Amino acid sequence: AQSVTQPDIHITVSEGASLELRCNYSYGATPYLFWYVQSPGQGLQLLLKYFSGDTLVQGIKGFEAEFKRSQSSFNLRKPSVHWSDAAEYFCAVGQNTGTASKLTFGTGTRLQVTL
Amino acid sequence: GAVVSQHPSWVICKSGTSVKIECRSLDFQATTMFWYRQFPKQSLMLMATSNEGSKATYEQGVEKDKFLINHASLTLSTLTVTSAHPEDSSFYICSASQSSFSYNEQFFGPGTRLTVL
């Protein structure tokens, strides 16, 4: 069964500093990988996704992620964090079973941004 | 982008009563809808997957008689928590997709906070 690990429960960065959120996955086949952001009162919003091709994926709000098969990782990065980026971030892996699909989420990383 | 709404956003009920949560895709037709449960400071756990017009597929360990899911139309799915008990208190989130395949984006609702007294 697939699984996702986000080692960092809580990260604090200063506004303007760079950010990297870690994600490791376990999946037997080529994974579909996602990063979502959850803000209070709002639904999860997709930041970016990887299915195949270029291992460096660009997303919305200036985020990017790099798929590294050898490390089973899909870390999320942003060169300069804004205060509005404070939220909960979830990494997820998608699995197709032929008749259905499911997303398995990591436990999330809460990002705090200090001014 | 596609919008998914949930109603109510929060509900408090007495133990033993049933609660219905609605999930609507507002500007697209959702072939597949998903229901998740999220405990405080924990991840989203998939409860069930429903395709319009067919029975929901429940994840292992989820009681189908307690969590009734109906996906009667391409824009509406409902989750009914029957005979709710305090341990059912949680944050319930739905998502909707135009396909049953993982590479199709799921659009998430804002969630429903259920508190059972």
Side-chain angles (χ1 to χ4, degrees):
Chain A
Q2 70 273 25
S3 65
V4 178
T5 301
Q6 292 180 248
D8 304 304
I9 296 173
H10 186 219
I11 284 183
T12 301
V13 299
S14 300
E15 187 175 41
S18 64
L19 171 71
E20 182 169 33
L21 302 182
R22 295 184 291 165
C23 172
N24 293 96
Y25 68 90
S26 173
Y27 187 59
T30 300
Y32 302 125
L33 294 163
F34 306 81
W35 273 100
Y36 286 89
V37 59
Q38 184 181 36
S39 298
Q42 299 182 27
L44 275 75
Q45 181 182 22
L46 180 66
L47 289 175
L48 47 77
K49 58 187 177 184
Y50 171 80
F51 296 148
S52 65
D54 193 347
T55 56
L56 184 62
V57 180
Q58 301 297 320
I60 63 172
K61 304 184 179 185
F63 286 93
E64 65 177 28
E66 186 171 12
F67 170 61
K68 293 185 177 180
R69 183 187 299 275
S70 61
Q71 299 178 20
S72 296
S73 69
F74 188 57
N75 294 347
L76 182 71
R77 300 194 294 251
K78 186 170 185 178
S80 178
V81 170
H82 189 263
W83 63 266
S84 60
D85 294 323
E88 188 91 21
Y89 291 80
F90 290 94
C91 180
V93 60
Q95 175 191 19
N96 285 327
T97 64
T99 57
S101 67
K102 59 194 294 184
L103 288 179
T104 299
F105 286 86
T107 50
T109 298
R110 179 162 296 278
L111 173 64
Q112 184 176 359
V113 180
T114 58
L115 301 176
Chain B
V3 179
V4 175
S5 69
Q6 281 186 242
H7 178 80
S9 55
W10 59 269
V11 57
I12 301 173
C13 70
K14 293 182 179 180
S15 184
T17 61
S18 294
V19 174
K20 180 183 285 187
I21 302 170
E22 291 186 349
C23 176
R24 294 183 183 271
S25 57
L26 298 185
D27 50 3
F28 68 101
Q29 293 186 324
T31 303
T32 306
M33 286 186 168
F34 304 83
W35 286 95
Y36 297 84
R37 185 172 179 176
Q38 185 180 26
F39 291 100
K41 302 186 185 303
Q42 294 188 31
S43 181
L44 284 76
M45 301 298 296
L46 180 65
M47 299 174 65
T49 302
S50 73
N51 292 297
E52 184 265 339
S54 61
K55 290 183 179 180
T57 301
Y58 290 81
E59 294 299 301
Q60 190 173 8
V62 177
E63 299 177 61
K64 58 184 66 178
D65 293 332
K66 172 170 235 1
F67 299 101
L68 301 179
I69 292 172
N70 183 279
H71 191 168
S73 76
L74 286 172
T75 60
L76 173 65
S77 177
T78 59
L79 168 68
T80 301
V81 183
T82 62
S83 186
H85 291 283
E87 58 266 28
D88 298 324
S89 298
S90 191
F91 195 54
Y92 292 89
I93 300 173
C94 74
S95 71
S97 174
Q98 292 175 301
S99 163
S100 61
F101 294 103
S102 287
Y103 47 78
N104 279 85
E105 183 175 352
Q106 291 183 29
F107 299 95
F108 287 80
T112 297
R113 173 79 56 195
L114 170 63
T115 301
V116 184
L117 302 177

